Amino acid sequence: MRLLLRLLGGIWLATLVVIAGFTYLEVQEERARLVQDIGRRAALAADAVREATEPLVARQSRAGYDRVLKRFGRPDRSIAIYDQFGSVIEASPEVKPALGPLSPLVSEAMSNRGPARGFQDVGGARRWVHVVPLERDDLIIGAVAILLDAQYLESYEWGLWQRSAVRLGVLILLLTGITWLLVRWTVTRPIARMAEWTKQLKAGQPVAPPPDADASLFGSLAGEVTGLARTLARARAVAEQEARLRLHGESVWTEERLKQFVQIRFGARPIFVVSNREPVSHVRDGKTIKELQPASGLVTALEPIVLACGGVWVAHGSGDADRVVGERIGLPSDDPTYTLRRVWLDAEEEAGYYYGFANEGLWPLCHIVHERPRFRAGDWEQYRAVNHKFALTLLEEMEKADDPIVLVQDYHFALLPQMIKRERPDARVALFWHIPWPNFEAFGICPWQEEILLGMLGADLVGFHTQFHCNNFLETVERTIEGRVEWDHFTVVRGQHTTHVLPFPISVATDAVEEPERVDKAAVMAQVEVSAEFLGVGVERIDYTKGLPERLRAIRRFFERWPQYRRRVVFVQIASPSRTRIPRYQALQEETRAMVRAINEEIGERGWRPVVYRERHHDHREIRAFYRAADFCMVTALHDGMNLVAKEFIAARDDDDGVLILSRFTGASRELGDALLVNPYDIEDTADAIRRAIEMSQRERRDRMARMRAQVREQNIYRWAGRLLSELARIPRTALADRQGTTEDRLV
Ligand code: G6P
């Protein structure tokens, strides 16, 4: 209320000052105009009277004076005639008794031999007086005064002020009404709702923030409150989960346990994560900038770790609005727990290092999908240069940290561990390779295999998803470079340095920290404008390793072999465009679209499409709704280090339902034996798995899903991080003093 009064007081004062100011100016202008007008009229009349009176004064004709007064006199115009001594000879009757005050003007006119004028109060009324001298043969023989009624001037001005007062009143009423409504709708009511919302949150009721908590109006306050509420909800969920686990005597790794573990093992030593893909990129959306979580298993897996432990994440700033938002930012933006440090790459660096060597060279080299790797010397140069650039940034970030822990991610940074370790021997460096490692013969086709292996072996720990990939790597090392591979310890010893090579099957965070939202299968299908009895989903980046064409062929085959399922099953493929500058990826995009079109045309019927293809970026929330509504999920990659879509699907199914159809060529298949395992190249086998998924009894579905959920819950991402960090902690510390030469020498 006080706020409203203050606001209104200000508005009233401003309105008053503006209206009064403008009225004053208007009155001044009007007055000048009216005075000019009355003066002109008086002068004209005075000239006429003078001409008629001059001969009469000379003759001293009393009868003539009466004629003049009658002829030129009017109710609003009086006339007075003076002799050469300034005494009244004759005057209009209404002014005659009161002409005394005019003598100064009369004397002035006669002595100046010219007109004299001004306002005078004569006979109780305000009048405009204009006096002109009368002359004969160059002698002043008298004067004539014209007196015009000027009362109307005052009433006119008064009228102006009155009109303005009315205007002021109406304006003030209107502004008061509008301000009151606006304040009520946009401030008082939303604040009251926000207060009610925070009260409910405090009471532990997980309610969504009020829709009118408009961030643009409340600025950072709304964001802060939302962040605070989220933190509160998280903290409460974590505490509840911990209590539950303690009660059941379970030893599952949780976010809280990882946090405590890191604190006990590493104290205040910060963790540095390096990856090519950033956890959040900022992209322009019309005139606004929005946050986007890229489609990357690596990001899905690592984010919960930095959320739990804090630290610095160094990554390529690839969003088109990243530079606007900043090089070093706190994340999550509403409640920062870690820092993202962005590295900028120019087009040439990105083309050679990312598109070229990493994704046209190493990616097909490590995946057995019959896509020929392309190795170009120029790309290799950029790859080295960008690894060097990231090393410099990382060293800058680690400058003040003693014994830092560095977690390097993936095939984009094979050279980075050696560069870092040379400069900071006190750092404990782990390299986790998220994709498969091929056998030594396949790897042997890489022209820079030695440099890559030496770069990787700079790490204290090299991790893969499976023992099989560790073995492939150790064998590659044994056959390619000099060094001792100790198979019984899974280590590589080169000079003073030992690298441990171990499997760490990566996973996802499974704690349901947020209240699970209800899922209505029909509503989810309605979103994509279909309806059917059974829903299948696939979630992929459009990548040739993911086996999209093979999957579509299997779906078509399924409908051919079991036509009774036509109209009853719909498959939704969520496909996120990826690495689209590489021709092979463009071709795959085209091929996939064409196949979907063909299947829908050939098998589809009026009102039913067998495949819904959604080719765009989807956020986690959208994807989760599909996971939870699906009867089956297809993960049929041709070759995959792990594949976290499989685990995300399982983590999302807290109803213990849904069937997972999983390629046996994924790392995930080693852990998820309760999925329907398929060979994605075998179209008949995959088509049959779809049928089995649909026909599986509810009991079997639940048993299988419950076992897989227990597995994923047990082997979650916190456990993965805990194991990896324990291994790192075991490695003896190397003193900083072991460095030799300059930073540049050591890095090159
Ligand atoms: C794989 C890689 C990740 C990568 C992801 C997405 O999972 O192992 O390092 O981030 O694909 O690919 P992109 O090229 O878009 O980062």
mmCIF file of all heavy atoms in Angstrom, residues 273-277 295-304 313 409-412 432 434 506 644:
data_model
loop_
_atom_site.group_PDB
_atom_site.id
_atom_site.type_symbol
_atom_site.label_atom_id
_atom_site.label_comp_id
_atom_site.label_asym_id
_atom_site.label_seq_id
_atom_site.Cartn_x
_atom_site.Cartn_y
_atom_site.Cartn_z
ATOM 1 N N VAL A 273 38.116 -30.840 -15.183
ATOM 2 C CA VAL A 273 37.613 -31.728 -16.234
ATOM 3 C C VAL A 273 37.910 -31.055 -17.569
ATOM 4 O O VAL A 273 37.751 -29.840 -17.688
ATOM 5 C CB VAL A 273 36.085 -31.935 -16.088
ATOM 6 C CG1 VAL A 273 35.519 -32.720 -17.260
ATOM 7 C CG2 VAL A 273 35.776 -32.637 -14.775
ATOM 8 N N VAL A 274 38.379 -31.834 -18.543
ATOM 9 C CA VAL A 274 38.592 -31.270 -19.883
ATOM 10 C C VAL A 274 37.823 -32.115 -20.880
ATOM 11 O O VAL A 274 37.960 -33.346 -20.892
ATOM 12 C CB VAL A 274 40.076 -31.312 -20.309
ATOM 13 C CG1 VAL A 274 40.278 -30.489 -21.576
ATOM 14 C CG2 VAL A 274 40.973 -30.819 -19.209
ATOM 15 N N SER A 275 37.008 -31.455 -21.689
ATOM 16 C CA SER A 275 36.342 -32.186 -22.772
ATOM 17 C C SER A 275 36.172 -31.231 -23.935
ATOM 18 O O SER A 275 36.246 -30.012 -23.755
ATOM 19 C CB SER A 275 34.983 -32.718 -22.326
ATOM 20 O OG SER A 275 34.061 -31.662 -22.240
ATOM 21 N N ASN A 276 35.937 -31.794 -25.090
ATOM 22 C CA ASN A 276 35.666 -30.914 -26.225
ATOM 23 C C ASN A 276 34.281 -30.306 -26.078
ATOM 24 O O ASN A 276 34.090 -29.110 -26.167
ATOM 25 C CB ASN A 276 35.744 -31.697 -27.532
ATOM 26 C CG ASN A 276 35.252 -30.850 -28.675
ATOM 27 O OD1 ASN A 276 35.892 -29.878 -29.046
ATOM 28 N ND2 ASN A 276 34.078 -31.166 -29.192
ATOM 29 N N ARG A 277 33.293 -31.129 -25.818
ATOM 30 C CA ARG A 277 31.910 -30.655 -25.760
ATOM 31 C C ARG A 277 31.671 -29.973 -24.425
ATOM 32 O O ARG A 277 32.032 -30.519 -23.372
ATOM 33 C CB ARG A 277 30.976 -31.861 -25.934
ATOM 34 C CG ARG A 277 29.529 -31.544 -26.099
ATOM 35 C CD ARG A 277 29.213 -30.605 -27.211
ATOM 36 N NE ARG A 277 29.471 -31.132 -28.541
ATOM 37 C CZ ARG A 277 29.634 -30.341 -29.612
ATOM 38 N NH1 ARG A 277 29.600 -29.035 -29.495
ATOM 39 N NH2 ARG A 277 29.850 -30.873 -30.795
ATOM 40 N N ALA A 295 23.511 -32.874 -27.023
ATOM 41 C CA ALA A 295 23.263 -34.319 -27.020
ATOM 42 C C ALA A 295 24.610 -35.016 -26.979
ATOM 43 O O ALA A 295 25.265 -35.172 -28.002
ATOM 44 C CB ALA A 295 22.505 -34.705 -28.286
ATOM 45 N N SER A 296 25.046 -35.368 -25.791
ATOM 46 C CA SER A 296 26.346 -36.026 -25.658
ATOM 47 C C SER A 296 26.331 -36.886 -24.405
ATOM 48 O O SER A 296 26.060 -36.400 -23.309
ATOM 49 C CB SER A 296 27.452 -34.966 -25.555
ATOM 50 O OG SER A 296 28.605 -35.514 -24.964
ATOM 51 N N GLY A 297 26.614 -38.175 -24.596
ATOM 52 C CA GLY A 297 26.651 -39.085 -23.454
ATOM 53 C C GLY A 297 27.694 -38.630 -22.445
ATOM 54 O O GLY A 297 27.508 -38.747 -21.230
ATOM 55 N N LEU A 298 28.771 -38.086 -22.968
ATOM 56 C CA LEU A 298 29.866 -37.629 -22.110
ATOM 57 C C LEU A 298 29.353 -36.555 -21.141
ATOM 58 O O LEU A 298 29.594 -36.605 -19.933
ATOM 59 C CB LEU A 298 30.950 -37.066 -23.015
ATOM 60 C CG LEU A 298 32.234 -36.496 -22.449
ATOM 61 C CD1 LEU A 298 33.315 -36.592 -23.502
ATOM 62 C CD2 LEU A 298 32.110 -35.084 -21.982
ATOM 63 N N VAL A 299 28.602 -35.610 -21.679
ATOM 64 C CA VAL A 299 28.073 -34.528 -20.842
ATOM 65 C C VAL A 299 27.071 -35.086 -19.829
ATOM 66 O O VAL A 299 27.114 -34.755 -18.644
ATOM 67 C CB VAL A 299 27.427 -33.428 -21.724
ATOM 68 C CG1 VAL A 299 26.643 -32.448 -20.885
ATOM 69 C CG2 VAL A 299 28.506 -32.713 -22.524
ATOM 70 N N THR A 300 26.189 -35.975 -20.302
ATOM 71 C CA THR A 300 25.203 -36.578 -19.399
ATOM 72 C C THR A 300 25.908 -37.234 -18.218
ATOM 73 O O THR A 300 25.478 -37.125 -17.076
ATOM 74 C CB THR A 300 24.407 -37.678 -20.143
ATOM 75 O OG1 THR A 300 23.957 -37.136 -21.363
ATOM 76 C CG2 THR A 300 23.252 -38.196 -19.339
ATOM 77 N N ALA A 301 27.008 -37.918 -18.499
ATOM 78 C CA ALA A 301 27.688 -38.664 -17.444
ATOM 79 C C ALA A 301 28.463 -37.741 -16.506
ATOM 80 O O ALA A 301 28.436 -37.918 -15.289
ATOM 81 C CB ALA A 301 28.633 -39.678 -18.073
ATOM 82 N N LEU A 302 29.153 -36.758 -17.060
ATOM 83 C CA LEU A 302 30.073 -35.984 -16.222
ATOM 84 C C LEU A 302 29.423 -34.869 -15.427
ATOM 85 O O LEU A 302 29.932 -34.461 -14.391
ATOM 86 C CB LEU A 302 31.198 -35.407 -17.071
ATOM 87 C CG LEU A 302 32.208 -36.433 -17.566
ATOM 88 C CD1 LEU A 302 33.388 -35.757 -18.170
ATOM 89 C CD2 LEU A 302 32.683 -37.329 -16.432
ATOM 90 N N GLU A 303 28.296 -34.385 -15.919
ATOM 91 C CA GLU A 303 27.717 -33.236 -15.226
ATOM 92 C C GLU A 303 27.379 -33.519 -13.759
ATOM 93 O O GLU A 303 27.695 -32.713 -12.887
ATOM 94 C CB GLU A 303 26.507 -32.690 -15.983
ATOM 95 C CG GLU A 303 26.415 -31.207 -15.697
ATOM 96 C CD GLU A 303 25.099 -30.585 -16.025
ATOM 97 O OE1 GLU A 303 24.162 -31.325 -16.357
ATOM 98 O OE2 GLU A 303 25.018 -29.350 -15.934
ATOM 99 N N PRO A 304 26.765 -34.678 -13.457
ATOM 100 C CA PRO A 304 26.469 -34.929 -12.038
ATOM 101 C C PRO A 304 27.718 -34.910 -11.155
ATOM 102 O O PRO A 304 27.642 -34.565 -9.978
ATOM 103 C CB PRO A 304 25.849 -36.331 -12.044
ATOM 104 C CG PRO A 304 25.403 -36.564 -13.439
ATOM 105 C CD PRO A 304 26.291 -35.756 -14.324
ATOM 106 N N TRP A 313 35.589 -26.888 -15.402
ATOM 107 C CA TRP A 313 35.404 -27.702 -16.607
ATOM 108 C C TRP A 313 35.883 -26.869 -17.787
ATOM 109 O O TRP A 313 35.323 -25.806 -18.060
ATOM 110 C CB TRP A 313 33.927 -28.073 -16.750
ATOM 111 C CG TRP A 313 33.614 -29.060 -17.835
ATOM 112 C CD1 TRP A 313 34.270 -29.228 -19.022
ATOM 113 C CD2 TRP A 313 32.544 -30.019 -17.829
ATOM 114 N NE1 TRP A 313 33.691 -30.229 -19.750
ATOM 115 C CE2 TRP A 313 32.625 -30.743 -19.055
ATOM 116 C CE3 TRP A 313 31.530 -30.356 -16.943
ATOM 117 C CZ2 TRP A 313 31.727 -31.755 -19.390
ATOM 118 C CZ3 TRP A 313 30.633 -31.365 -17.280
ATOM 119 C CH2 TRP A 313 30.735 -32.062 -18.496
ATOM 120 N N GLN A 409 38.871 -35.983 -21.035
ATOM 121 C CA GLN A 409 37.829 -36.811 -21.639
ATOM 122 C C GLN A 409 38.012 -37.012 -23.142
ATOM 123 O O GLN A 409 38.105 -36.032 -23.879
ATOM 124 C CB GLN A 409 36.454 -36.164 -21.430
ATOM 125 C CG GLN A 409 36.132 -35.826 -19.995
ATOM 126 C CD GLN A 409 36.128 -37.035 -19.087
ATOM 127 O OE1 GLN A 409 35.579 -38.068 -19.451
ATOM 128 N NE2 GLN A 409 36.755 -36.918 -17.932
ATOM 129 N N ASP A 410 38.074 -38.270 -23.509
ATOM 130 C CA ASP A 410 37.810 -38.689 -24.879
ATOM 131 C C ASP A 410 38.907 -38.466 -25.920
ATOM 132 O O ASP A 410 39.950 -37.876 -25.660
ATOM 133 C CB ASP A 410 36.496 -38.072 -25.359
ATOM 134 C CG ASP A 410 35.561 -39.160 -25.889
ATOM 135 O OD1 ASP A 410 36.032 -40.294 -26.064
ATOM 136 O OD2 ASP A 410 34.385 -38.874 -26.112
ATOM 137 N N TYR A 411 38.539 -38.924 -27.129
ATOM 138 C CA TYR A 411 39.507 -39.028 -28.226
ATOM 139 C C TYR A 411 39.914 -37.679 -28.790
ATOM 140 O O TYR A 411 40.790 -37.625 -29.639
ATOM 141 C CB TYR A 411 38.902 -39.902 -29.337
ATOM 142 C CG TYR A 411 37.590 -39.366 -29.871
ATOM 143 C CD1 TYR A 411 37.536 -38.628 -31.045
ATOM 144 C CD2 TYR A 411 36.400 -39.576 -29.185
ATOM 145 C CE1 TYR A 411 36.337 -38.127 -31.517
ATOM 146 C CE2 TYR A 411 35.198 -39.083 -29.646
ATOM 147 C CZ TYR A 411 35.169 -38.364 -30.806
ATOM 148 O OH TYR A 411 33.992 -37.860 -31.275
ATOM 149 N N HIS A 412 39.288 -36.606 -28.327
ATOM 150 C CA HIS A 412 39.690 -35.289 -28.826
ATOM 151 C C HIS A 412 41.024 -34.860 -28.216
ATOM 152 O O HIS A 412 41.680 -33.980 -28.735
ATOM 153 C CB HIS A 412 38.641 -34.242 -28.453
ATOM 154 C CG HIS A 412 37.252 -34.613 -28.857
ATOM 155 N ND1 HIS A 412 36.407 -35.315 -28.034
ATOM 156 C CD2 HIS A 412 36.577 -34.405 -30.005
ATOM 157 C CE1 HIS A 412 35.251 -35.513 -28.657
ATOM 158 N NE2 HIS A 412 35.330 -34.983 -29.853
ATOM 159 N N PHE A 432 39.945 -40.562 -19.807
ATOM 160 C CA PHE A 432 38.898 -41.558 -20.033
ATOM 161 C C PHE A 432 38.496 -41.523 -21.497
ATOM 162 O O PHE A 432 38.150 -40.478 -22.048
ATOM 163 C CB PHE A 432 37.680 -41.329 -19.124
ATOM 164 C CG PHE A 432 36.767 -42.499 -19.173
ATOM 165 C CD1 PHE A 432 37.054 -43.657 -18.467
ATOM 166 C CD2 PHE A 432 35.648 -42.489 -19.989
ATOM 167 C CE1 PHE A 432 36.237 -44.781 -18.563
ATOM 168 C CE2 PHE A 432 34.823 -43.604 -20.083
ATOM 169 C CZ PHE A 432 35.127 -44.755 -19.364
ATOM 170 N N HIS A 434 35.942 -42.497 -24.125
ATOM 171 C CA HIS A 434 34.515 -42.864 -24.093
ATOM 172 C C HIS A 434 34.096 -43.774 -25.244
ATOM 173 O O HIS A 434 32.962 -44.216 -25.292
ATOM 174 C CB HIS A 434 33.656 -41.596 -24.148
ATOM 175 C CG HIS A 434 33.710 -40.796 -22.883
ATOM 176 N ND1 HIS A 434 32.674 -40.728 -21.990
ATOM 177 C CD2 HIS A 434 34.701 -40.043 -22.336
ATOM 178 C CE1 HIS A 434 33.002 -39.960 -20.976
ATOM 179 N NE2 HIS A 434 34.232 -39.514 -21.166
ATOM 180 N N ILE A 506 30.986 -46.622 -17.605
ATOM 181 C CA ILE A 506 30.344 -45.353 -17.222
ATOM 182 C C ILE A 506 28.835 -45.541 -17.096
ATOM 183 O O ILE A 506 28.270 -46.527 -17.604
ATOM 184 C CB ILE A 506 30.702 -44.231 -18.228
ATOM 185 C CG1 ILE A 506 30.663 -42.866 -17.531
ATOM 186 C CG2 ILE A 506 29.779 -44.244 -19.434
ATOM 187 C CD1 ILE A 506 31.382 -41.787 -18.287
ATOM 188 N N LEU A 644 24.779 -44.541 -23.318
ATOM 189 C CA LEU A 644 24.058 -44.138 -22.110
ATOM 190 C C LEU A 644 22.558 -43.989 -22.317
ATOM 191 O O LEU A 644 21.820 -43.900 -21.348
ATOM 192 C CB LEU A 644 24.657 -42.838 -21.553
ATOM 193 C CG LEU A 644 26.029 -43.026 -20.923
ATOM 194 C CD1 LEU A 644 26.534 -41.745 -20.309
ATOM 195 C CD2 LEU A 644 26.004 -44.135 -19.862
#
